[in-house]
Amino acid sequence: MTATQFILPESELPRAWYNLNADMPVPMLPPLHPGTQEPITPEFLSVLSPMALLGQDVSPEAEIEIPEPVRDIYKLWRPTPLLRAKRLEEALETPAHIYYKYEGVSPVGSHKPNTAIAQAFYLKDEGGKAFTTETGAGQWGSALALACSFFDLGCEVFMVRVSYDQKPFRRNVMESYGASVYASPSNRTECGRNMLADDPNHPGSLGTAISEGIEAAVTSNGEKKYSLGSFLPHVLLHQTVIGEEALKQMDMAGEYPDIVIGCAGGGSNFGGIAFPFIRENVRNARGTRIIAAEPAACPTLTRGSYTWDWADNAGLAPICKMHTLGHTFIPPRIHAGGLRYHGMSPQVSALVDGGYVEAVALDQVDTFEAGVMFARTEGILPAPESNHAVRAAVNEAVACKATGEEKVILFNLSGHGNFDMQAYADYHDGTLERYEYPEEDIQNALTRLPDVSFAG
Ligand SMILES: *Cc1c(COP(=O)(O)O)cnc(C)c1O
């Protein structure tokens, strides 16, 4: 009988993050200034971000050392466990071996502190005082609030209004860690006031909250910097601690994955589990299939265009080459709040465009069905976002049943769903709706892309 849990000792906590820039198999274009459309300068970005993080974004080094104070804090919950989902395999009657990496053991229940702790460390190191940020469902805000409290920094969170209303307890978590939380759009920023003037019932989106967070930092005379919890190369870099640990743990299990799966909102937990395995594909000709799972209601990778677009709603953030549904896209109010974003990490986008990563879009009802099945077999109630990865893994395992193939499937369980009871209540009540984003609305939003002539 093979083991169920694969636990690494503290001494095996990785000493370096893996930087995919070193092995990127497809060309990347730089982010452009939102106004001039010229490649962005460090001066523009240094208003927003600690210099160390900007350096990491463009570093060609494959390994970037994890500072000791960051490793010390990681040790509060890392290395995280990797488990074989034997009871799920049995329930599915699949010959496939299903493994999952569990990031829900962090203090806030998701992978997000992996980057929040690192970002707060660098801000403190450079003499910064506070971070402003956006949050969707509240997971990112909780992670950054936690990190800022560890490093004695201020934390100002703009929370997407629909989540602020639906998930008040997340706000209490952030406030417990000492953060200030505002519903976005808010009247604290000019862009927020404009959005409210257009629509007093504006539900908000990650894009609106990003615009507000940026404005609050830019107008703070250098007091505050802006932190982003996904999307950027340094965020995905910090998350690679997940995949580096998983590589060692799969080795302990004596197997190597044929398929690696992560859910994708901005791309950070997906990049975190996938990039070290993409390195093995590129350097060592491993043939692992890498799959990004997204909502059918916000189908950025599967139905968006790979083109230039602003990273936020108001056009204050850089223009990036990425998969996008258009910066004016307002995603429907699905429960996987962390996956409601019009764009996607430029690195993940380029990998999908180049055929190195596959993408699948899943309906939320199907993802909850898989999540409940996972809870009943493995015990953990997954976050609604993570349910997309669970569903994709279940689909692959069911395909193995049909073909009789004994494939090894690894997915990232990015967080637990203990703060998402309304979503589960709706699922059990049968009020959770099937929803596919209408093609007409996608085409409409794509007519409002920036007209970029930059060719690289
Ligand atoms: C925020 C979040 C996500 C989506 O963000 P990514 O940057 O795409 O990883 C997924 N799962 C959980 C649990 C989250 O909190």
Side-chain angles (χ1 to χ4, degrees):
M1 203 53 200
T2 52
T4 301
Q5 289 196 39
F6 300 92
I7 305 289
L8 288 173
E10 202 172 289
S11 57
E12 290 289 320
L13 181 67
R15 296 193 175 274
W17 294 299
Y18 168 59
N19 180 12
L20 183 69
N21 288 346
D23 297 288
M24 195 68 180
V26 281
M28 292 291 300
L29 293 168
L32 306 180
H33 188 283
T36 66
Q37 300 192 359
E38 290 297 320
I40 217 128
T41 59
E43 293 78 62
F44 173 84
L45 290 174
S46 67
V47 179
L48 294 174
S49 196
M51 288 308 291
L53 299 176
L54 300 176
Q56 291 176 352
D57 286 340
V58 295
S59 168
E61 300 297 328
E63 296 199 342
I64 294 182
E65 196 184 320
I66 305 176
E68 269 319 302
V70 174
R71 286 186 84 238
D72 282 343
I73 293 176
Y74 277 178
K75 285 175 190 169
L76 295 175
W77 71 93
R78 306 206 71 87
T80 61
L82 181 135
L83 288 94
R84 174 128 176 229
K86 289 181 192 166
R87 293 172 51 83
L88 177 63
E89 290 170 16
E90 277 165 32
L92 293 170
E93 297 175 340
T94 176
H97 295 188
I98 307 175
Y99 292 85
Y100 63 97
K101 177 75 166 156
Y102 186 41
E103 288 294 306
V105 295
S106 85
V108 295
S110 77
H111 64 289
K112 291 199 167 76
N114 296 333
T115 184
I117 301 295
Q119 294 191 38
F121 165 80
Y122 290 116
L123 180 68
K124 188 71 176 184
D125 195 47
E126 295 178 19
K129 294 279 178 279
F131 265 133
T132 68
T133 196
E134 86 297 332
T135 195
Q139 290 108 322
W140 170 241
S142 312
L144 193 67
L146 167 77
C148 287
S149 80
F150 280 165
F151 287 98
D152 200 17
L153 295 162
C155 186
E156 193 171 299
V157 182
F158 292 91
M159 183 172 188
V160 176
R161 181 174 295 277
V162 50
S163 299
Y164 186 93
D165 295 337
Q166 273 179 6
K167 301 183 178 174
F169 292 153
R170 286 274 185 199
R171 178 178 149 203
N172 302 132
V173 174
M174 293 183 259
E175 289 170 348
S176 298
Y177 289 128
S180 311
V181 187
Y182 310 104
S184 174
S186 77
N187 55 20
R188 297 182 60 84
T189 64
E190 194 183 320
C191 64
R193 287 188 291 274
N194 288 340
M195 291 184 253
L196 286 175
D198 275 356
D199 177 5
N201 295 318
H202 200 307
S205 67
L206 279 178
T208 69
I210 292 171
S211 301
E212 291 207 282
I214 291 179
E215 188 184 316
V218 169
T219 55
S220 74
N221 294 321
E223 283 258 306
K224 303 171 193 169
K225 300 266 167 161
Y226 169 71
S227 169
L228 200 57
S230 189
F231 189 78
L232 296 172
H234 65 254
V235 178
L236 277 62
L237 170 79
H238 302 151
Q239 294 295 352
T240 59
V241 67
I242 303 172
E244 292 290 29
E245 287 177 5
L247 267 167
K248 294 186 192 183
Q249 288 163 308
M250 290 304 304
D251 205 44
M252 286 170 81
E255 303 216 76
Y256 193 85
D258 298 302
I259 301 173
V260 170
I261 298 168
C263 66
S268 78
N269 89 87
F270 170 77
I273 187 117
F275 285 4
F277 288 95
I278 292 175
R279 172 187 66 210
E280 300 307 311
N281 277 355
V282 171
R283 284 194 199 167
N284 301 320
R286 292 279 198 172
T288 301
R289 283 173 61 207
I290 314 278
I291 303 175
E294 66 180 9
C298 187
T300 316
L301 287 169
T302 50
R303 293 172 64 203
S305 296
Y306 183 53
T307 184
W308 293 100
D309 198 5
W310 285 284
D312 68 334
N313 283 164
L316 299 174
I319 297 171
C320 298
K321 181 84 186 271
M322 62 178 173
H323 280 86
T324 179
L325 292 164
H327 67 288
T328 53
F329 169 85
I330 301 289
R333 299 174 191 217
I334 57 167
H335 275 297
L339 305 182
R340 297 169 78 245
Y341 176 58
H342 69 272
M344 180 56 67
S345 145
Q347 291 168 307
V348 173
S349 295
L351 290 164
V352 169
D353 187 62
Y356 291 84
V357 167
E358 302 168 37
V360 291
L362 302 166
D363 191 274
Q364 65 172 351
V365 176
D366 298 330
T367 68
F368 274 87
E369 183 191 61
V372 167
M373 181 176 200
F374 188 81
R376 290 177 186 178
T377 51
E378 297 296 320
I380 299 166
L381 196 61
E385 292 84 358
S386 315
N387 281 344
H388 292 73
V390 179
R391 180 80 241 181
V394 165
N395 287 353
E396 292 298 330
V398 168
C400 287
K401 184 181 177 182
T403 60
E405 285 171 292
E406 205 174 279
K407 285 188 184 161
V408 177
I409 301 168
L410 167 66
F411 72 91
N412 192 39
L413 190 64
S414 52
H416 67 67
N418 296 0
F419 281 102
D420 302 285
M421 285 308 121
Q422 189 57 53
Y424 280 93
D426 291 355
Y427 172 70
H428 293 303
D429 291 351
T431 53
L432 197 72
E433 283 167 17
R434 286 191 178 271
Y435 186 87
E436 200 170 305
Y437 205 75
E439 185 61 26
E440 192 188 327
D441 292 6
I442 294 178
Q443 290 312 324
N444 227 329
L446 291 178
T447 60
R448 277 165 277 172
L449 294 174
D451 186 16
V452 172
S453 55
F454 181 80

